[in-house]
Amino acid sequence: MSKAPIAIIGTGIAGLSAARFLHDSGQAVHLFDKSRGSGGRMGSKSADGATFELGAQYFTARDRRFTDVVQLWQAEGWAAPWTPHLHQAREGQLAPSADEQLRWVGVPRMSAITRGLLADLPVTFSCRITEAFRGEENWTLVDASGASHGPFSQIIVATPAPQASALLAGAPKLAAVAASVAMEPTWAVALGFATPLTTEVDGCFVRDDALDWFA
């Protein structure tokens, strides 16, 4: 009898990185996500003909191993260096930023990276998993509609900690670890203008204010 696949809950960068590694190692996987598409915090939203990055507007690669991965993404055409006119604002004064950190973006949008990683891996979207329980040998998942999914040999929960805590009721120690994670909220606002703004500012770090960044 062949081994049951591994279930991965969440198709953000963490879940998809795990899925791609396991798949490339010869392990069958099946992904689930409550959203209509992949991305998580690297997802892109479309409205009125425009695309907004409400999660990460860019990312950095400071670890050599991750740098190697990003270069592979670049070779695939999923990512490219971002060379913006960066500024910083402090006490109402705007000045060019001296920050020379290399930043990356997805091409043509941030979600291109997760879509590239997903490729043809089996996935069920618009499916919010609410329970995970283990039988004698395998795991079964239950979604918000009451439907069951499985069997799975293992599960990987790649969701924000509050969601993970609820799913890990069958593993109390892990659930407690997830429940102990304190998360700070981040508010993102997307604005559209009838005509492009006449500014050289592509991105700006704001110091000592409720607003942290705009791009």
Side-chain angles (χ1 to χ4, degrees):
M1 181 180 294
S2 60
K3 187 177 181 181
I6 294 176
I8 301 176
I9 305 171
T11 61
I13 193 68
L16 284 168
S17 295
R20 181 52 57 186
F21 176 83
L22 291 167
H23 175 78
D24 292 347
S25 300
Q27 174 65 54
V29 299
H30 192 105
L31 293 119
F32 295 87
D33 201 289
K34 61 183 177 63
S35 299
R36 292 180 295 174
S38 65
R41 293 174 186 168
M42 293 183 71
S44 305
K45 303 295 183 183
S46 297
D48 298 328
T51 299
F52 298 96
E53 309 291 1
L54 294 182
Q57 277 93 51
Y58 65 83
F59 62 93
T60 60
R62 294 181 171 88
D63 182 280
R64 178 187 56 79
R65 295 166 297 178
F66 184 47
T67 298
D68 292 342
V69 170
V70 174
Q71 289 175 346
L72 291 176
W73 295 349
Q74 183 181 21
E76 293 284 353
W78 306 341
W82 187 41
T83 55
H85 292 100
L86 282 181
H87 288 67
Q88 61 179 356
R90 185 191 297 271
E91 298 179 349
Q93 299 298 313
L94 189 67
S97 173
D99 189 324
E100 296 182 351
Q101 170 68 50
L102 177 60
R103 292 173 170 81
W104 296 84
V105 292
V107 177
R109 56 186 63 89
M110 198 63 80
S111 58
I113 295 172
T114 58
R115 290 178 180 175
L117 289 172
L118 178 62
D120 57 355
L121 292 178
V123 59
T124 303
F125 287 120
S126 300
C127 181
R128 184 167 65 89
I129 301 300
T130 56
E131 294 181 65
F133 59 89
R134 187 171 188 176
E136 292 185 2
E137 295 184 2
N138 293 303
W139 289 84
T140 298
L141 305 180
V142 179
D143 65 29
S145 69
S148 297
H149 305 268
F152 299 106
S153 60
Q154 305 285 340
I155 60 170
I156 294 175
V157 181
T159 67
Q163 297 173 32
S165 177
L167 285 170
L168 292 170
K173 290 185 178 179
L174 286 176
V177 172
S180 69
V181 175
M183 299 188 67
E184 296 183 356
T186 296
W187 293 87
V189 177
L191 302 176
F193 298 89
T195 57
L197 299 181
T198 55
T199 176
E200 295 183 355
V201 180
D202 294 323
C204 183
F205 299 100
V206 184
R207 309 299 181 189
D208 306 321
D209 202 297
L211 184 66
D212 184 70
W213 156 262
F214 63 84

